[in-house]
Amino acid sequence: AHEWNRMLECGKATSIAGLAEKEKISQTYLARVLRLNLLAPDIKEAILDGHNPRNLRVADIFKPFPLVWQEQREWFGFPV
C-alpha cells in the first residue's frame, strides 16, 4: 500500500487505473489496498507484529472502516 501510494504521489503512476494495469491487478483491489494507508500507525504496527485482536480477520480490514484513528481502534477491537 505504501509503495503504490508513493508511486501515485511522485508521478510514477498517474492514476489508479494506470497503476492497476501496470501491476496487473483490478482497480477495486488496488483501491482497497490503498485504503490501508489510512489505518492508524499503531494498528498497522500491531497487525504486522501479530498483536492484533484474535477476532480480527484480513477480510475485516478490507471492508470500509472509520477514518478517525480512535474510532478505528474501537471498530477493530484494539484496546482504547
Side-chain angles (χ1 to χ4, degrees):
H2 288 288
E3 180 61 26
W4 289 340
N5 196 51
R6 277 191 289 274
M7 291 172 76
L8 289 165
E9 287 177 346
C10 76
K12 287 185 179 179
T14 56
S15 67
I16 289 177
L19 182 55
E21 185 177 327
K22 178 180 179 179
E23 296 290 323
K24 296 178 177 47
I25 57 174
S26 74
Q27 291 179 44
T28 55
Y29 175 74
L30 179 62
R32 285 194 314 261
V33 172
L34 283 172
R35 280 183 47 80
L36 299 178
N37 286 308
L38 303 175
L39 282 172
D42 58 307
I43 292 176
K44 290 185 225 180
E45 185 176 339
I47 291 170
L48 291 172
D49 289 343
H51 300 293
N52 48 286
R54 287 184 142 335
N55 63 338
L56 182 62
R57 299 170 300 134
V58 172
D60 296 330
I61 62 173
F62 281 107
K63 294 178 184 174
F65 54 80
L67 298 181
V68 176
W69 290 351
Q70 185 60 33
E71 292 174 14
Q72 289 177 7
R73 292 178 189 101
E74 295 169 11
W75 182 268
F76 292 118
F78 284 87
V80 184

